[in-house]
Amino acid sequence: MTFDIQKRHHYWFQKISQIPRASYNEKEISDFICNFAKQHDLQYKQDAVWNVCVFKPASKAYENASPLILQAHMDMVPAIRPGSKHDFAKDPIELIEKDGWLYAKDTTLGADDGIGVAMMLAILEDDHLPHPPLECIFTVQEEVGLGGAMHLQKEDIQADRLISLDSMNHDVADLCCAGGCYGQAIAKLHMIENHAPTYVLHIAGLQGGHSGTDIHKERGNANSVIVRIMEEAIQKDIDIHIVNMTCTSRSNAIPPEAEITFASNCETQQLYKQIQQSFAAIQNELVSSDPNITYTCQQVTQAHKASDTQSSQDFIHFLYICPSGFQHASMSIPGLTVTSLNLGTIETKDDTITMQWLIRSMFASAVQDISRKIEVCAKAYHIDYQANTFFPGWEYAEVSPIRDKFAKALEKHGNTLKTEAAHGGLEVGVFASLHPGLDITTVGAVCENYHTFDERLQISSFDYGFEILKDIIAQCCED
């Protein structure tokens, strides 16, 4: 199976791949969809955060059919292979086809959720497909807290049924999803004049992955690895004076690499020996999940300023004792993660280090509990912490006519619908909260390693998922 832009969903995926669309940089892709609607004489509306809704009247003879919402998000996670010079603010995605899969050169592919956007554009321009009235919702900021969906109002969700195209499978329907919130901590360092040698410790080679769907695999978090190495050095009476710490991974991606710059008066070989001992133990613990973990520690140009002993230790102790990663599994649904959190982005500016977590759970109370634990840890070490607005989950519905249509479409192709309870946060949770009783299913295509620079899309599945979508839409003309 080859990637063929003569196929309209392939064509639109190729077109949108030329438009930079990392989260918070969606205006160009939003305007592109508005221009598409104008060119096809379709009504549309664009809101203040760049969400776009495009409306298509029912095909002839189906004007009285119940309306249907199609939904996908325009933004993507901007992960870059180390060493790449790709600039997500302006560079297009360079597509590579290999052995039936579509990749990007040294970056995330954007199949999450470019496949949904491409399918919707192909559906909107198709004048031969039987369909009920369609409302196509293209959202922004999905990858950074469902910001676009959270901006929608109740009046934006008029139909009683919805197909979300934010799915990484063509024969699996999600049944529910976790809610959650983002937590942010800000540590103020007391910077003093530095006369000690300065070092950079860099952790890399971890698998990373999606902080929802991969968190139960308990892969290493580069931030946690660095903090543990620093904590163990402190416990050996090695003085640590932080200059800065950096992790560029978003909070919905498990960080595969991170680094810390610090000063120390410890004898260099003793310092290196202690770091090597800590790393060796961690490497042994992660041998199954992260066999390629690596580290480098090297002396660099002496920093003019570094934090004093107390504020350095407060910062390290705080992150060391904070809850992290997989927390609880469901006792009723095998394989379902109930509660987790992921420490992603860490930024240093002058004397301030900002940290961000994504906390997820099927229960709002559990999200609040984890957030309070971080807050208690923060207070103990004189660090400011604040949790952002909670985003809702999607509860399981035993009866779902739209899911039944998905199953019927698969049966026509000799396949059986599989179902999955998802731990990741989905925009459908927001839609369900805006429109109680909304009938929802998810449809997509096989995409692997999303949120990483190894992301790949199975081309045959992209085609298959598109055919299944068209079949479901046609069935929706019947009621």
Side-chain angles (χ1 to χ4, degrees):
M1 187 65 65
T2 59
F3 188 71
D4 179 5
I5 62 171
Q6 298 303 312
K7 298 177 180 178
R8 297 306 290 176
H9 56 299
H10 289 205
Y11 170 81
W12 289 115
F13 187 85
Q14 187 270 340
K15 290 289 286 185
I16 65 174
S17 296
Q18 304 306 300
I19 304 172
R21 60 184 201 281
S23 303
Y24 301 121
N25 187 34
E26 303 104 335
K27 184 178 187 303
E28 186 176 355
I29 183 68
S30 177
D31 289 344
F32 175 85
I33 292 171
C34 291
N35 288 330
F36 168 93
K38 293 176 187 177
Q39 292 164 8
H40 291 81
D41 296 322
L42 298 171
Q43 290 188 347
Y44 72 94
K45 63 180 180 180
Q46 182 184 47
D47 67 20
V49 299
W50 313 120
N51 291 317
V52 179
C53 295
V54 181
F55 306 91
K56 185 173 185 178
S59 51
K60 189 174 181 179
Y62 300 113
E63 293 85 355
N64 294 324
S66 179
L68 172 67
I69 297 171
L70 303 180
Q71 182 273 325
H73 64 85
M74 295 179 276
D75 62 318
M76 61 179 285
V77 171
I80 302 172
R81 191 179 303 278
S84 170
K85 298 185 183 302
H86 185 93
D87 184 349
F88 269 103
K90 60 185 179 65
D91 294 338
I93 300 296
E94 185 174 341
L95 303 179
I96 298 172
E97 182 182 343
K98 182 180 179 182
D99 299 328
W101 294 83
L102 196 65
Y103 300 78
K105 183 180 179 182
D106 297 331
T107 70
T108 33
L109 174 63
D112 176 15
D113 186 23
I115 56 174
V117 174
M119 286 181 180
M120 286 164 64
L121 293 174
I123 293 294
L124 283 168
E125 71 171 359
D126 188 344
D127 291 328
H128 302 288
L129 174 69
H131 62 84
L134 295 177
E135 179 180 352
C136 291
I137 304 177
F138 301 84
T139 53
V140 298
Q141 301 175 25
E142 189 273 346
E143 301 290 7
V144 286
L146 314 182
M150 294 288 283
H151 189 79
L152 296 173
Q153 304 298 313
K154 288 185 177 182
E155 54 267 27
D156 293 318
I157 313 298
Q158 293 295 320
D160 294 326
R161 50 189 179 175
L162 178 150
I163 302 174
S164 171
L165 299 172
D166 188 12
S167 171
M168 301 300 107
N169 288 287
H170 60 233
D171 60 356
V172 178
D174 290 317
L175 298 176
C176 57
C177 70
C181 74
Y182 283 83
Q184 180 174 279
I186 299 176
K188 281 281 190 179
L189 303 177
H190 181 212
M191 305 299 284
I192 58 176
E193 189 173 348
N194 176 56
H195 301 286
T198 304
Y199 303 86
V200 174
L201 171 63
H202 186 89
I203 298 295
L206 294 161
Q207 283 202 59
H210 191 289
S211 68
T213 57
D214 293 322
I215 201 76
H216 66 288
K217 299 172 184 176
E218 301 200 56
R219 295 173 178 172
N221 180 311
N223 290 321
S224 298
V225 172
I226 279 182
V227 166
R228 177 173 164 183
I229 290 173
M230 292 289 96
E231 176 68 26
E232 291 177 357
I234 291 171
Q235 296 304 318
K236 294 293 185 180
D237 295 324
I238 294 174
D239 64 308
I240 298 293
H241 303 275
I242 296 170
V243 177
N244 60 64
M245 184 170 176
T246 302
C247 176
T248 58
S249 290
R250 300 292 178 92
S251 296
N252 57 359
I254 303 168
E257 63 177 325
E259 73 175 31
I260 189 168
T261 303
F262 64 97
S264 178
N265 286 300
C266 180
E267 195 274 324
T268 299
Q269 291 308 311
Q270 180 185 349
L271 175 66
Y272 285 170
K273 181 179 179 181
Q274 173 58 40
I275 290 174
Q276 167 58 29
Q277 288 177 347
S278 290
F279 178 80
I282 295 168
Q283 183 181 40
N284 184 55
E285 295 168 15
L286 297 178
V287 67
S288 297
S289 65
D290 295 276
N292 299 316
I293 183 174
T294 63
Y295 87 98
T296 58
C297 186
Q298 57 186 354
Q299 190 170 344
V300 295
T301 302
Q302 187 179 63
H304 296 298
K305 288 189 175 182
S307 58
D308 67 357
T309 299
Q310 188 64 56
S311 59
S312 289
Q313 289 191 1
D314 282 351
F315 172 74
I316 295 299
H317 293 338
F318 163 62
L319 286 184
Y320 183 69
I321 67 172
C322 273
S324 179
F326 173 84
Q327 298 292 301
H328 301 293
S330 171
M331 294 295 101
S332 57
I333 304 177
L336 175 64
T337 300
V338 171
T339 306
S340 74
L341 72 161
N342 180 66
L343 174 60
T345 308
I346 297 182
E347 298 177 330
T348 304
K349 185 175 181 181
D350 299 326
D351 63 347
T352 302
I353 300 182
T354 303
M355 301 144 272
Q356 189 175 73
W357 288 260
L358 176 51
I359 307 168
R360 305 179 192 263
S361 183
M362 305 297 292
F363 306 105
S365 58
V367 172
Q368 294 163 0
D369 177 54
I370 293 293
S371 184
R372 280 194 295 266
K373 287 178 179 177
I374 299 175
E375 183 178 12
V376 169
C377 293
K379 286 181 179 179
Y381 291 103
H382 315 291
I383 290 171
D384 293 328
Y385 173 79
Q386 183 173 6
N388 295 330
T389 304
F390 176 81
F391 56 85
W394 166 36
E395 294 185 8
Y396 168 67
E398 184 174 353
V399 176
S400 170
I402 194 72
R403 190 168 69 230
D404 292 342
K405 287 178 171 57
F406 188 2
K408 185 176 179 180
L410 287 171
E411 288 170 4
K412 293 177 183 178
H413 290 79
N415 291 316
T416 302
L417 178 67
K418 305 177 186 69
T419 56
E420 186 175 271
H423 179 58
L426 299 174
E427 290 170 304
V428 291
V430 180
F431 298 137
S433 70
L434 292 172
H435 190 108
L438 183 65
D439 187 17
I440 301 169
T441 194
T442 59
V443 180
V446 173
C447 176
E448 298 178 346
N449 306 319
Y450 44 95
H451 293 193
T452 77
F453 46 72
D454 291 320
E455 181 183 4
R456 64 178 191 169
L457 170 65
Q458 188 180 55
I459 298 170
S460 61
S461 176
F462 190 22
D463 294 343
Y464 186 80
F466 186 56
E467 292 304 312
I468 294 299
L469 173 63
K470 290 194 292 184
D471 190 298
I472 299 171
I473 292 172
Q475 290 183 60
C476 287
C477 292
E478 300 168 4
D479 50 25

